[in-house]
Amino acid sequence: MAKKKEIRRRAINERHTKKGLASKNKTSVSQIPTGEFDVLIENISPMHLGSGQADVNVDADVVHDENGLPYFPGKRLKGLLYESGIEVLEMLSSCGSDFYSKEAWDELFSHGVESACRLIIPNINLEGYEKISKEWAALIRTFPGMFQPVDVLGSYTTIRYQTKIDSETGVAADTSLHNMRVVDAHQRFAGRIKVLGGKPEHLELLALAFQNLQQSGLKRNRGFGEIKCTMLQDGNNIQSTLVQQAWKRGNMI
């Protein structure tokens, strides 16, 4: 079953992977037009981005669209990025390097600060989503007896089971069996992010926050939700360039 799922998933994904998106070439910050860039997120380990939904088969489901394709909610990514940026600022402060201010970070996220700067993060879909979605939708329409959204979802996810062990008896506690759906490891999510009215320091702080952001979803202390984020423009990695410029700004290199 697992082998069949993998074959089916690869058949859809491989044809539509944007090969140039993951290029590691660097580009000059001066080439960034208006702070508009692509973000690539890969989950290194299984990831649970909860939907708050459950049914008779799954106690905790993941977010997915009408065709069963999982995605990374933009609102959740924005919250994770803000927390990651606060961690970066705290780390810099602990090193005596306050060359970025919390006010600038709050401006970007509109946290109690009036500013013309605005960060726009949509839902981040699977890489090559437009074509993948159309193909799965066509299969669902054409072969409804064989393909349903739950089957599509099952091609990208796995249900994990867990139970609580009674400390006194050493056996599973009664009624403690629980399951949750997780997005399989090494799925790639890609989307376009915009920074309107931003300054260079906003982009640099974003790059540091993306660099620092390494986990998402539930059960992070159990090895779930390890992620890697990359900022890209025209297929080039601009994140490393922005991070380097950030260190230069603070005279740290």
Side-chain angles (χ1 to χ4, degrees):
M1 180 66 182
K3 185 175 181 181
K4 182 179 179 182
K5 179 172 71 173
E6 181 66 19
I7 292 173
R8 182 169 59 182
R9 186 171 63 201
R10 287 183 179 180
I12 293 291
N13 284 356
E14 288 180 359
R15 280 182 293 169
H16 306 301
T17 297
K18 299 174 182 178
K19 296 180 180 178
L21 196 59
S23 170
K24 295 184 178 180
N25 295 330
K26 297 181 180 180
T27 187
S28 168
V29 177
S30 63
Q31 294 174 348
I32 302 173
T34 58
E36 186 171 343
F37 58 88
D38 296 307
V39 61
L40 178 66
I41 304 173
E42 180 178 1
N43 59 312
I44 308 303
S45 66
M47 175 177 64
H48 178 80
L49 295 173
S51 65
Q53 303 283 326
D55 58 33
V56 295
N57 298 312
V58 181
D59 296 323
D61 215 336
V62 298
V63 288
H64 56 274
D65 69 7
E66 66 276 9
N67 292 320
L69 292 168
Y71 62 89
F72 205 118
K75 187 175 181 179
R76 204 166 307 180
L77 177 58
K78 194 171 185 178
L80 289 169
L81 268 178
Y82 181 79
E83 293 175 1
S84 179
I86 294 297
E87 286 183 357
V88 169
L89 290 171
E90 290 174 351
M91 287 187 283
L92 290 175
S93 179
S94 67
C95 296
S97 301
D98 296 323
F99 51 94
Y100 290 115
S101 68
K102 183 176 181 295
E103 288 73 22
W105 194 235
D106 285 338
E107 282 179 358
L108 186 60
F109 287 82
S110 303
H111 275 215
V113 178
E114 290 188 9
S115 172
C117 183
R118 186 182 176 196
L119 176 64
I120 301 175
I121 304 181
N123 291 335
I124 310 299
N125 294 303
L126 287 168
E127 190 177 28
Y129 173 78
E130 186 174 347
K131 291 183 178 180
I132 292 172
S133 179
K134 287 180 179 179
E135 292 200 358
W136 279 122
L139 287 172
I140 291 171
R141 287 195 308 270
T142 307
F143 306 103
M146 295 179 61
F147 294 99
Q148 289 295 314
V150 68
D151 301 310
V152 178
L153 182 59
S155 295
Y156 299 88
T157 63
T158 300
I159 297 178
R160 296 292 184 94
Y161 294 83
Q162 57 187 9
T163 189
K164 181 180 179 181
I165 301 299
D166 189 304
S167 59
E168 295 183 359
T169 65
V171 298
D174 292 338
T175 69
S176 67
L177 182 63
H178 175 81
N179 67 41
M180 70 176 186
R181 190 186 297 276
V182 296
V183 177
D184 293 337
H186 302 297
Q187 300 304 307
R188 291 155 61 94
F189 299 83
R192 178 62 61 89
I193 291 178
K194 294 181 180 180
V195 179
L196 303 180
K199 300 176 182 178
E201 53 262 40
H202 290 128
L203 289 171
E204 292 162 12
L205 267 170
L206 264 180
L208 292 172
F210 270 119
Q211 191 92 342
N212 182 56
L213 181 56
Q214 298 179 7
Q215 289 184 310
S216 66
L218 297 180
K219 304 291 183 182
R220 303 180 197 181
N221 60 341
R222 299 291 182 88
F224 289 92
E226 182 182 355
I227 61 174
K228 179 181 179 182
C229 304
T230 309
M231 297 166 66
L232 302 157
Q233 193 169 74
D234 296 328
N236 297 317
N237 183 339
I238 62 171
Q239 184 168 305
S240 55
T241 302
L242 287 165
V243 167
Q244 186 177 44
Q245 181 151 322
W247 298 146
K248 288 181 179 179
R249 182 184 293 274
N251 295 317
M252 298 182 72
I253 58 173

